Amino acid sequence: HNIQDNFFYLDHMFTREGNGSGCIYLDKYNSGDFSDDNSIVYGHNMKNGSMFASLISYKEPGYYEEHPRLLLVTREHRYVLELFAGILTAPASDDWQMNYADRETYAAWLADVKARSVFTSPVTPTPEDRIVSLATCTYEFDDARLMVMGVLKEYKESE
């Protein structure tokens, strides 16, 4: 797609037309097929409730219990994200790593983010799982981000 950085779609639509709301987009360094250990999807926390504004509700008691899974739809596939963590993080943290050199390091990171989660989930990812992290702005500290993370599973019609 030849985009130079991860900032372009903050104020452009997927058609590349300028738009203050931007669009929801996958990190330019991730594989488009979600084959990385951690695929990061960005979206604005819009005051009008659009884009990723609803992710902020995962910080509220009871919201996770009502919304434990998300549907991720691409042109080619449908996936379910079985949510296991929602973390507050900063852009310079290690939480933005996309692939891990070994399964032990990845497993340790997965356990760490689950322990830091703003909600409690019965889902425990394994080092063989691929995850998707949905990232948006939050305001607990300067440049704070909320990442809501889920294990990527193929969608089955029975769901």
Side-chain angles (χ1 to χ4, degrees):
H1 43 79
N2 243 358
I3 300 302
Q4 298 301 311
D5 58 41
N6 275 318
F7 301 106
F8 182 81
Y9 287 114
L10 290 174
D11 57 7
H12 288 80
M13 300 300 293
F14 65 92
T15 60
R16 298 184 181 216
E17 177 185 354
N19 182 300
S21 297
C23 66
I24 292 171
Y25 60 98
L26 182 67
D27 191 290
K28 76 172 262 112
Y29 297 105
N30 274 128
S31 299
D33 62 358
F34 299 104
S35 59
D36 295 306
D37 293 333
N38 181 19
S39 296
I40 303 169
V41 180
Y42 302 99
H44 282 302
N45 173 5
M46 301 293 289
K47 286 183 179 149
N48 68 8
S50 65
M51 300 298 186
F52 275 180
S54 65
L55 293 181
I56 299 303
S57 297
Y58 280 99
K59 296 188 292 184
E60 304 298 324
Y63 191 81
Y64 166 79
E65 287 75 16
E66 294 174 13
H67 306 90
R69 301 179 332 170
L70 298 175
L71 181 64
L72 174 62
V73 179
T74 70
R75 286 185 195 162
E76 298 83 24
H77 291 91
R78 287 177 163 228
Y79 302 98
V80 171
L81 299 181
E82 295 180 352
L83 302 182
F84 68 92
I87 60 167
L88 299 176
T89 190
S93 82
D94 292 338
D95 296 323
W96 305 91
Q97 189 166 334
M98 296 172 193
N99 287 294
Y100 291 79
D102 57 69
R103 297 299 85 191
E104 292 79 18
T105 306
Y106 182 46
W109 177 75
L110 290 169
D112 177 63
V113 295
K114 186 163 172 65
R116 290 188 283 138
S117 182
V118 297
F119 59 81
T120 302
S121 165
V123 177
T124 300
T126 72
E128 289 71 42
D129 287 326
R130 293 175 293 153
I131 66 165
V132 174
S133 297
L134 309 178
T136 196
C137 292
T138 188
Y139 303 99
E140 284 76 4
F141 53 87
D142 284 348
D143 236 9
R145 301 290 186 272
L146 173 68
M147 293 176 86
V148 174
M149 308 163 119
V151 175
L152 185 73
K153 304 281 188 179
E154 287 288 336
Y155 175 84
K156 296 183 177 51
E157 286 300 323
S158 61
E159 298 184 80

